[in-house]
Amino acid sequence: MPRSFPPEFVFGAATAAFQIEGAAAEHGRGPSIWDTLCARPGAILDGSDGSVACDHYHRWEHDLDLLAGLGLRAYRFSIAWPRIKPQGNGEVEERGLAFYDRLVDGMLERGIEPFATLYHWDLPQALEDKGGWRNRDTAFRFAEYAAVVQHRLGDRVRTWTTLNEPWCSAFLGHASGEHAPGMTDPVAAITAAHHLLLGHGLAAEALHGGRRPASVGIVPNLYRVTPASDSPADLDAARRLDGVQNRWYLDAVLLGSYPADIVEDYAPLTDLSFVQDGDLDTISARLDWLGINYYSSFLARGLDAPRVPAPRERPTPWVGCEDVETVPNGRPVTHMGWDIEPSGLTDILVRLATDYPSLPLYVTENGSAWDDVVTDGAVHDPERVAYLEAHLAACLDAIDRGVDLRGYFAWSLLDNFEWAWGYSRRFGLVRVDYDSQERIPKDSAHRYAEIVRSRSLG
Ligand code: IFM
């Protein structure tokens, strides 16, 4: 029997502004922290930047046609804060808002529901100059920006994500230095994580308080973490990795507290004095749904001593886990080197439904990079097809086990700027030729369209 998705299950695809838009200097857009990082020699693997990317800013109609052509009825996109508030202050750039106005209208005309993300990592550089997410004030500026966007688009956009993957913004941005703003200061990372979450809470409050109904979610990147053995060292390694990667965000947002064991682990570094009275109430106020970005799982092993990074190796982003390593699961890896582990997605969904019940869930990102080649105008990507099918099957497994899973968004609609990896890693269902800007739907796009049409994995 083919396995079917519930009739109301939403199928979509996701992108992010900096990764696809280009038009970096157009219509008053201000610089973001990623423009600054890209200009730093050695920061981006292929020396590239986001100035043109997929040129989506000019080709958005065609890109929406591609989405509609695949039969997708939902699009998870992000809004570039530096287009709306180029200086990060009170000044609003009308031309930036007008772009998203047109984009949202374009979706609705094609029967595509907009899922808007307010922060997918492109902080206005002007705010970074004032301390970025290390500065509590940025959380308040974020809420103001959220209110401006909702005022303009809220008559057509109902579903909002505040933050995409706050762990990445905080820890890849401030501890390992791989992401913007490229810092390597563990305390800055923990501080930034709190201010990001405070920004989430304040923005959610602003969105819920607006004149239009708003359904607000946050999107952490979650991993199943399993100890490599049942030795005490491996069990403790798994506890800590799970704590800093998963529970720090889930507990804050859903329980209104930071996990006590990790607070204790962090104690030698910081007493968290930047957490003010009432912050966790703000952070854990009403949440309408939770998004899960899922790519891989971790097998955690505890080491006898902290790993000393090799020369030129970045420090670990997992602050408090310097004596933890992740070991391969022995199965194939994607072009990112990430273990493929579909059962981890089912386990995470079931865990969320158990530990934090009554919360609608979406898989807001899932996908894989492969070293695609074009053959006679086509891209045959059997590995991406298999990855997609296996993870959709994992979603069905979770639904069978009673999880309230409402939808799935493939990452990504298009090949795009993969952050520190530049254009060297391709996640798209649709190939982008960065010279000609030609788009070619890959075999995985055709397979996804078939699944969406039949609503089954038959
Ligand atoms: O490209 C990123 C995206 O911006 C956030 N989630 C993970 C993707 C793949 O690394």
Side-chain angles (χ1 to χ4, degrees):
M1 279 293 285
R3 303 182 68 199
S4 300
F5 288 87
E8 64 287 356
F9 191 86
V10 172
F11 289 102
T15 62
F18 190 81
Q19 294 179 270
I20 62 165
E21 283 180 1
E26 213 161 312
H27 291 159
R29 176 187 178 277
S32 81
I33 54 175
W34 271 94
D35 298 293
T36 309
L37 187 75
C38 289
R40 190 192 286 180
I44 309 298
L45 186 67
D46 57 7
S48 63
D49 60 35
S51 53
V52 177
C54 308
D55 196 29
H56 171 78
Y57 195 79
H58 301 115
R59 295 168 195 266
W60 60 270
E61 289 177 279
H62 179 58
D63 292 338
L64 293 184
D65 287 343
L66 282 168
L67 263 171
L70 297 178
L72 300 177
R73 290 282 163 262
Y75 179 36
R76 178 171 179 259
F77 68 109
S78 86
I79 292 163
W81 189 348
R83 288 199 192 281
I84 310 301
K85 295 206 163 204
Q87 297 312 319
N89 58 17
E91 255 166 68
V92 173
E93 173 51 77
E94 164 56 32
R95 291 170 297 175
L97 282 172
F99 170 68
Y100 295 106
D101 239 352
R102 294 193 292 276
L103 187 67
V104 165
D105 284 346
M107 287 179 224
L108 298 177
E109 278 158 20
R110 292 165 178 79
I112 298 168
E113 187 186 348
F115 281 62
T117 298
L118 289 161
Y119 189 66
H120 198 126
W121 309 352
D122 43 358
L123 183 71
Q125 181 60 41
L127 289 177
E128 179 60 30
D129 295 342
K130 295 183 178 156
W133 290 109
R134 279 110 45 228
N135 180 352
R136 185 177 172 87
D137 188 59
T138 299
F140 293 85
R141 301 289 80 80
F142 180 56
E144 282 169 11
Y145 148 71
V148 167
V149 175
Q150 192 207 24
H151 183 74
R152 181 61 171 261
L153 303 179
D155 55 339
R156 286 150 293 153
V157 176
R158 184 164 184 276
T159 310
W160 300 92
T161 294
T162 53
L163 306 177
N164 184 72
E165 301 183 359
W167 176 84
C168 295
S169 304
F171 287 87
L172 294 179
H174 300 82
S176 71
E178 181 182 343
H179 281 192
M183 288 178 63
T184 49
D185 173 348
V187 177
I190 302 169
T191 312
H194 179 66
H195 292 149
L196 279 150
L197 287 170
L198 180 62
H200 153 77
L202 293 168
E205 207 170 87
L207 294 165
H208 284 135
R211 280 186 301 133
R212 310 285 181 175
S215 173
V216 182
I218 185 171
V219 171
N221 49 322
L222 302 178
Y223 298 78
R224 182 181 68 191
V225 184
T226 316
S229 77
D230 24 349
S231 75
D234 290 357
L235 290 169
D236 194 58
R239 170 192 69 75
R240 282 182 283 148
L241 199 54
D242 178 55
V244 301
Q245 177 77 59
N246 299 325
R247 285 183 287 123
W248 193 259
Y249 305 90
L250 296 172
D251 284 9
V253 167
L254 300 168
L255 304 179
S257 58
Y258 285 126
D261 58 322
I262 304 299
V263 171
E264 205 178 309
D265 291 345
Y266 281 165
L269 285 173
T270 169
D271 60 2
L272 306 186
S273 51
F274 46 79
V275 180
Q276 297 189 6
D277 281 353
D279 282 4
L280 280 152
D281 294 335
T282 304
I283 291 169
S284 61
R286 176 178 149 201
L287 190 76
D288 302 303
W289 54 274
L290 183 80
I292 296 104
N293 287 0
Y294 177 83
Y295 289 89
S296 188
S297 283
F298 295 140
L299 265 184
R301 174 177 293 155
L303 304 172
D304 292 340
R307 273 189 76 237
V308 181
R312 306 175 63 149
E313 197 188 328
R314 298 177 202 277
T316 179
W318 293 289
V319 174
C321 299
E322 290 72 14
D323 56 348
V324 173
E325 69 175 3
T326 57
V327 292
N329 69 6
R331 287 195 275 276
V333 296
T334 68
H335 198 203
M336 297 297 284
W338 296 346
D339 286 340
I340 301 173
E341 196 56 275
S343 69
L345 176 56
T346 311
D347 287 352
I348 283 180
L349 292 167
V350 170
R351 171 187 177 178
L352 289 168
T354 312
D355 292 356
Y356 313 95
S358 316
L359 193 63
L361 303 177
Y362 288 89
V363 174
T364 32
E365 280 182 30
N366 173 247
S368 56
W370 299 98
D371 196 8
D372 301 319
V373 281
V374 182
T375 317
D376 296 332
V379 179
H380 304 303
D381 55 345
E383 299 93 346
R384 191 177 287 102
V385 170
Y387 184 101
L388 175 72
E389 290 178 341
H391 287 79
L392 283 168
C395 291
L396 283 175
D397 290 343
I399 294 170
D400 287 349
R401 289 167 66 182
V403 174
D404 183 8
L405 181 63
R406 305 276 175 99
Y408 173 94
F409 291 80
W411 183 268
S412 176
L413 174 65
L414 303 171
D415 288 341
N416 59 47
F417 177 77
E418 178 54 25
W419 309 110
W421 298 85
Y423 297 97
S424 71
R425 294 295 181 276
R426 294 178 176 272
F427 275 91
L429 296 169
V430 175
R431 180 179 176 93
V432 175
D433 178 320
Y434 297 112
D435 294 323
S436 66
Q437 291 294 343
E438 186 193 5
R439 272 74 163 143
I440 304 175
K442 303 175 190 176
D443 284 0
S444 54
H446 299 303
R447 176 63 183 130
Y448 191 33
E450 208 172 86
I451 295 168
V452 171
R453 202 169 33 248
S454 64
R455 306 190 71 78
S456 86
L457 282 173

